[in-house]
Amino acid sequence: MMSAAEQEAGRRRRGRRTVNSELGPAGVDTLLAASIEVMSEHGYHGTSVRDIAHRAGVSPAALYHHFPSKHDVLVTIMDRGIEELLERTGEALSAAGPRAIDQLCGIVDVHVRFHLEDQHGTMLGTSEVRALAEPFRGEHLAKRRKQQRFFDRVLLGGTREGVFHTAYPRDAARAIVVMCTGVASWYRPEGPHSRTEIARRYQELALDLAGRRIG
Amino acid sequence: MMSAAEQEAGRRRRGRRTVNSELGPAGVDTLLAASIEVMSEHGYHGTSVRDIAHRAGVSPAALYHHFPSKHDVLVTIMDRGIEELLERTGEALSAAGPRAIDQLCGIVDVHVRFHLEDQHGTMLGTSEVRALAEPFRGEHLAKRRKQQRFFDRVLLGGTREGVFHTAYPRDAARAIVVMCTGVASWYRPEGPHSRTEIARRYQELALDLAGRRIG
DNA sequence: ATCGTAACTGAACAACTGTTAAGGAGCTCG
DNA sequence: CGAGCTCCTTAACAGTTGTTCAGTTACGAT
């Protein structure tokens, strides 16, 4: 007969392989990865603590060793996500230099790549804001507005610079963010185009939306 | 002491006023309207049958007089929505005539207006596809692809016609749909712009995405 | 060897879930 | 009148929910 410890170790290993490809501290990170997988498929309310635990290969109670509540798991995922996006966007903006065209290409590249690489996490992030309780909801929305303002500034700057000719820079900025965010909901890794190619195309589409004249 | 009938009538009247502004058959339509309101706020799984019934001013069991299940309520809402969108899009396309520019303006106008007028319903429609069970999910996705194909055809047609110059007509078509669908998630009736004005602007943005040259 | 602690377990909790059963009020029609 | 129908009720059902609790195991430090 197999000992409880052997059973348990086996279960954990299996859990790790599914979610985490065999390494890592297997605690918080495994649970977060499992949560992202299963929540992005069925939504926050459509996912039970037992679903998460089963996917992670642990018991339901194990989740409460690492997080105070199911809600806190969501908060952690959403906050890590938006924070990384903000950081990467800021970096891209610094690296782009002073020209609005370069800036727009830079932040669109980051935005698209981020939503392609962390497809499930970002889908959670965009669809489950409503599941956040206050004050986390308010804080998260503030960070989203901050991210939006990056795009607003680039569009308005380019308009003043005279390189963007759209009559509605704010609407164009919002449209660009929405369209780049949207890639997470249709992208399939087995599709015909590489992530790099998709990012390149969206830079072009964003420039069109900004009203860059050809010539 | 108030009779049960009086209590009940009062409750129903209150329910109607909240949801339906006092008229209508108060049965199926009231329940659907209540479902759209509360489900668009908390999502399908975040909404209980008791939540819906309470908003509609009836008992939880009343829902099962009109629908076989909670899931069927969602199916009804989503199907009515996509069917009306398809119909309106088809009409707009016929009314637009042969030129791709007019066609694009027509279907963008319909798409934006539809998502502004039925804001809550369309938000449900875009976010809760995952809550649909088979075979309804498959059927609904087929209708969504049909709607997408309207835009694909217009973009490809305009490219062949030589009036649209985007290098990526299919990506542009998807981006246009996504950006028009997105209005439902940020629009507030008390905002600075009328629905007509927003629709007009999005026609402009769509033409930019399509790569219509100025001049 | 023993202590401490991090990581986890199975079993239980009350609350809530979708759904059903049985019945009553109000209406129309013969 | 009363049969039949629509629309709705209260009360209950079994299953699931998030969460807690008391205990167990693995393991590095003393």
Side-chain angles (χ1 to χ4, degrees):
Chain A
M1 179 194 165
M2 209 187 229
S3 79
E6 283 170 326
Q7 280 182 24
E8 200 268 300
R11 212 176 311 134
R12 204 180 322 162
R13 233 177 291 120
R14 239 173 293 127
R16 267 194 210 158
R17 198 178 318 122
T18 306
V19 150
N20 214 353
S21 60
E22 206 76 37
L23 48 88
V28 174
D29 288 349
T30 303
L31 282 166
L32 285 177
S35 299
I36 289 174
E37 278 187 31
V38 67
M39 278 188 187
S40 70
E41 192 173 350
H42 300 109
Y44 174 75
H45 291 294
T47 302
S48 72
V49 171
R50 285 162 184 82
D51 292 335
I52 299 168
H54 182 257
R55 178 74 69 112
V58 296
S59 78
L63 187 143
Y64 291 88
H65 181 75
H66 299 283
F67 299 95
S69 68
K70 176 192 171 190
H71 180 257
D72 197 74
V73 174
L74 181 67
V75 170
T76 303
I77 292 170
M78 308 251 307
D79 200 57
R80 285 193 184 185
I82 192 75
E83 284 291 352
E84 189 182 339
L85 183 57
L86 280 171
E87 194 183 312
R88 284 211 220 171
T89 305
E91 284 170 11
L93 218 38
S94 317
R99 292 168 49 202
I101 289 186
D102 299 332
Q103 291 174 356
L104 183 59
C105 286
I107 63 179
V108 163
D109 185 65
V110 160
H111 207 78
V112 170
R113 289 196 122 87
F114 185 74
H115 283 80
L116 290 177
E117 286 160 17
D118 187 19
Q119 194 181 3
H120 296 294
T122 54
M123 279 181 69
L124 245 194
T126 40
S127 67
E128 295 297 344
V129 184
R130 63 185 169 197
L132 289 175
E134 294 298 348
F136 306 101
R137 196 180 129 93
E139 292 167 12
H140 185 84
L141 287 175
K143 291 177 184 174
R144 300 218 138 214
R145 279 193 297 272
K146 206 167 154 187
Q147 168 72 4
Q148 179 63 56
R149 249 178 271 127
F150 276 126
F151 283 80
D152 289 342
R153 275 199 296 271
V154 169
L155 265 284
L156 290 169
T159 308
R160 255 194 313 271
E161 230 180 86
V163 294
F164 297 155
H165 298 85
T166 179
Y168 316 107
R170 287 180 180 282
D171 298 86
R174 181 155 42 199
I176 290 171
V177 170
V178 169
M179 116 188 149
C180 293
T181 305
V183 300
S185 60
W186 56 259
Y187 172 69
R188 298 290 172 266
E190 66 272 18
H193 304 301
S194 71
R195 292 170 176 177
T196 303
E197 168 65 10
I198 294 171
R200 222 183 44 74
R201 291 186 175 198
Y202 271 76
Q203 289 177 333
E204 213 60 45
L205 292 173
L207 287 170
D208 286 341
L209 222 26
R212 172 206 49 174
R213 294 283 154 78
I214 317 285
Chain B
M1 183 194 165
M2 210 186 228
S3 78
E6 283 171 326
Q7 280 183 25
E8 201 268 299
R11 212 178 309 137
R12 205 183 319 163
R13 233 176 291 121
R14 240 174 293 127
R16 267 195 210 159
R17 199 178 317 122
T18 307
V19 150
N20 214 353
S21 60
E22 207 74 36
L23 51 88
V28 174
D29 289 349
T30 304
L31 282 167
L32 285 176
S35 298
I36 289 174
E37 277 187 32
V38 67
M39 279 188 185
S40 70
E41 192 173 351
H42 300 108
Y44 175 76
H45 291 295
T47 301
S48 72
V49 171
R50 284 161 183 84
D51 292 336
I52 298 169
H54 182 257
R55 178 74 69 113
V58 297
S59 77
L63 187 142
Y64 291 88
H65 182 73
H66 299 281
F67 300 95
S69 69
K70 177 191 171 190
H71 180 257
D72 197 75
V73 175
L74 181 67
V75 170
T76 303
I77 293 170
M78 308 252 306
D79 200 58
R80 285 193 183 185
I82 192 74
E83 283 291 351
E84 190 182 337
L85 183 57
L86 280 171
E87 195 183 312
R88 283 212 221 172
T89 305
E91 285 169 12
L93 218 39
S94 317
R99 291 168 50 202
I101 290 186
D102 299 332
Q103 291 174 355
L104 183 58
C105 286
I107 63 179
V108 163
D109 185 65
V110 159
H111 207 79
V112 170
R113 288 193 123 89
F114 185 74
H115 282 79
L116 291 176
E117 285 159 18
D118 187 19
Q119 196 182 1
H120 296 294
T122 53
M123 280 181 68
L124 245 195
T126 40
S127 67
E128 295 297 345
V129 184
R130 64 184 168 199
L132 290 176
E134 294 300 348
F136 306 100
R137 197 180 129 94
E139 292 168 11
H140 185 83
L141 287 174
K143 290 176 184 176
R144 301 218 138 215
R145 278 193 298 273
K146 206 167 153 188
Q147 168 72 3
Q148 179 64 56
R149 248 178 272 129
F150 277 127
F151 283 80
D152 290 342
R153 275 198 296 269
V154 170
L155 265 285
L156 289 169
T159 308
R160 254 194 313 270
E161 230 179 87
V163 294
F164 297 154
H165 298 84
T166 179
Y168 316 107
R170 287 180 180 282
D171 298 87
R174 180 154 42 197
I176 290 171
V177 170
V178 169
M179 116 189 149
C180 293
T181 305
V183 301
S185 60
W186 58 259
Y187 172 69
R188 298 289 171 267
E190 67 271 19
H193 303 301
S194 72
R195 292 170 176 176
T196 303
E197 168 65 11
I198 294 171
R200 222 183 44 74
R201 291 187 175 196
Y202 271 76
Q203 289 177 332
E204 213 59 45
L205 292 173
L207 288 170
D208 286 341
L209 265 178
R212 172 205 50 177
R213 294 281 156 79
I214 318 282

